[in-house]
Amino acid sequence: MTHLGLVTVVVRDYDEAIAFYRNVVGFELLEDTRIDDEKRWVVVAPPGVRETAVLLARAVTGGQKARIGDQTGGRVGWFLNTDAFERDYERMRAAGAVFEEAPRQEAYGTVAVFRDLYGNRWDLIQLNRPSGTGR
């Protein structure tokens, strides 16, 4: 295996999710392909990243709709690595990102938890080591 390709975030609406991930988080829209009248294939990722991206999947069933904003049972589900924590933290805050806490220093690096527009929890993190693999 070479890499993880996509992770899914269940969303209420494609366009509002695209706007959030582009304008607030700073991701690029990699693909937005209409599959039929209701379904689209929407992929976003950090600028320049092509190996692992986020598939924005609009909830259709009642079970899927119930998971919007709580895909991981309240745990942080996604880890957004940065090479310039302060820059990205300030840019995201200015764009309207809701951080749960002030940045904090941990043994592994600098981190702050933010929520996406639905309430899913993400870490914005700058690791002390260049591996990018986390804690």
Side-chain angles (χ1 to χ4, degrees), residues 40-110:
R40 291 157 56 184
W41 185 260
V42 178
V43 179
V44 297
V49 173
R50 298 297 179 261
E51 287 188 343
T52 304
V54 177
L55 175 69
L56 302 177
R58 188 177 59 80
V60 177
T61 68
Q64 292 168 357
K65 290 176 182 177
R67 292 287 176 249
I68 295 171
D70 189 27
Q71 291 184 224
T72 60
R75 299 280 313 243
V76 170
W78 300 272
F79 300 81
L80 181 57
N81 289 12
T82 178
D83 59 356
F85 184 90
E86 191 65 31
R87 174 200 68 204
D88 291 334
Y89 174 79
E90 291 302 332
R91 186 200 54 73
M92 289 174 65
R93 280 189 31 173
V98 176
F99 282 86
E100 294 183 358
E101 60 189 1
R104 66 182 193 278
Q105 295 296 317
E106 296 290 347
Y108 52 82
T110 305

Side-chain angles (χ1 to χ4, degrees), residues 14-15 18 29-43 55-56:
Y14 292 118
D15 293 322
I18 291 168
L29 179 63
L30 301 183
E31 185 173 357
D32 185 356
T33 303
R34 184 164 297 284
I35 295 172
D36 59 34
D37 288 342
E38 299 291 320
K39 189 173 183 179
R40 291 157 56 184
W41 185 260
V42 178
V43 179
L55 175 69
L56 302 177

Side-chain angles (χ1 to χ4, degrees), residues 19-27 80 91-92 95 97 114 116 122:
F20 175 82
Y21 284 99
R22 285 178 78 185
N23 301 334
V24 177
V25 180
F27 284 6
L80 181 57
R91 186 200 54 73
M92 289 174 65
F114 71 95
D116 71 13
W122 290 67

